Amino acid sequence: MKSYRRLAALLVMAMAPLATLAEESPAESDQIRRVVHVCSACHGEAGNSGNPAFPRLAGQPADYVIAQLDAFRDQKRSEKDPRAYMWGVSALLDDTTIQQLGSYYAQQTPAAGRAGDPALIAKGRTIFQDGVPARGVRACRSCHGDNGEGVTVFPRLAGQHASYVYSQLKTFGTRLRPHGPVMAAEVRNLSNDELRAVAEYVQSR
Ligand code: HEC
Ligand code: HEC
């Protein structure tokens, strides 16, 4: 709670320069640099967040970032954390800035994944590569790429914080993420242990 309040204060302070962007007309690169500076307070330098509370954005496909920012701004991605953290900030972004943010994060070099529990990783790797055909769970790599690198609207999962990945997988079982239904079978038919294993695997990539 304490750290949440500190972040909220940080966000309010950071908003001041962002809110004046419309009045000024700085060079495009300068403008996006200032916006990204606000984002980096949570998502880390160049989107390589070291804090599991905040997803990594570095190397995330542009189309995916744009779709999520639109979903936050339209208040369609509506779990507790997006409401608290992303609704306010996205409300201040215009379409052009959202496009530029997509390109910016797609161009950043993702930090290496983090080593984890080998047994869990091995279990997760099997699910990621082969799915569980008997239960209608498709291979994650068929959409997210062989190494979880992501493409177009399919997010990069490689190197993403396991706790964030797990929390999103649990959210896909609800209606709080607009594009959630695409993975309904995957999340419904995997146990919590299996979801944790696949999250640990992608974090290690
Ligand atoms: C105060 C902290 C904070 C700030 C500032 C912030 N974000 Fe976020 N952002 C979050 C949190 C927390 C989440 C994860 C929400 C969830 O659990 O679904 C998130 C999620 C996202 C996502 C979705 C990631 C994914 O993998 O689906 C994108 C894209 C994003 N933020 C972009 C931005 C951009 C661009 C900015 C700057 C304009 C920004 N954020 C500023 C906290 C922040
Ligand atoms: C049929 C294609 C498809 C398959 C198969 C699939 N996904 Fe996804 N996944 C998507 C799409 C599309 C999204 C983006 C949804 C959105 O925009 O909210 C997504 C989003 C995610 C996210 C949220 C990422 C973020 O940054 O917030 C996670 C985590 C995820 N998938 C994990 C998995 C895992 C694990 C598997 C295998 C068990 C899997 N997916 C199988 C299409 C797929």
Side-chain angles (χ1 to χ4, degrees):
M1 198 58 205
K2 190 161 161 253
S3 69
Y4 170 70
R5 242 183 271 124
R6 192 171 55 79
L7 272 167
L10 186 70
L11 182 58
V12 170
M13 287 188 296
M15 276 311 123
L18 189 62
T20 62
L21 283 178
E23 293 145 34
E24 301 166 5
S25 49
E28 197 176 274
S29 61
D30 192 40
Q31 172 169 328
I32 200 69
R33 192 178 51 76
R34 289 177 62 187
V35 176
V36 162
H37 183 69
V38 176
C39 316
S40 68
C42 292
H43 293 285
E45 214 44 58
N48 275 308
S49 148
N51 181 342
F54 305 113
R56 290 187 172 182
L57 302 178
Q60 201 57 276
D63 290 342
Y64 175 73
V65 170
I66 292 166
Q68 300 312 307
L69 289 172
D70 283 342
F72 292 132
R73 195 176 55 174
D74 296 345
Q75 307 194 342
K76 285 183 177 154
R77 192 171 152 178
S78 51
E79 315 96 281
K80 186 167 127 296
D81 284 355
R83 276 174 190 266
Y85 294 102
M86 287 306 300
W87 281 18
V89 71
S90 60
L92 298 166
L93 303 173
D94 60 24
D95 290 345
T96 309
T97 308
I98 286 182
Q99 295 279 338
Q100 290 168 347
L101 285 166
S103 315
Y104 172 82
Y105 284 113
Q107 284 163 23
Q108 304 311 304
T109 306
R114 187 143 35 96
D117 177 345
L120 212 51
I121 288 175
K123 185 174 168 184
R125 178 187 292 116
T126 306
I127 296 168
F128 189 87
Q129 293 187 340
D130 306 332
V132 186
R135 280 185 265 152
V137 173
R138 292 163 293 185
C140 318
R141 76 181 163 93
S142 64
C143 290
H144 292 280
D146 283 348
N147 293 303
E149 68 276 14
V151 61
T152 63
V153 295
F154 303 104
R156 176 186 179 86
L157 301 178
Q160 189 58 276
H161 302 298
S163 55
Y164 171 77
V165 170
Y166 180 77
S167 75
Q168 296 311 301
L169 290 169
K170 295 306 289 181
T171 299
F172 283 121
T174 71
R175 295 181 179 276
L176 300 174
R177 263 189 83 148
H179 306 295
V182 72
M183 287 174 37
E186 279 61 44
V187 295
R188 196 174 47 238
N189 298 328
L190 290 172
S191 68
N192 287 347
D193 284 350
E194 287 170 324
L195 294 177
R196 279 189 212 287
V198 80
E200 185 92 347
Y201 171 70
V202 297
Q203 174 181 259
S204 74
R205 300 303 293 163

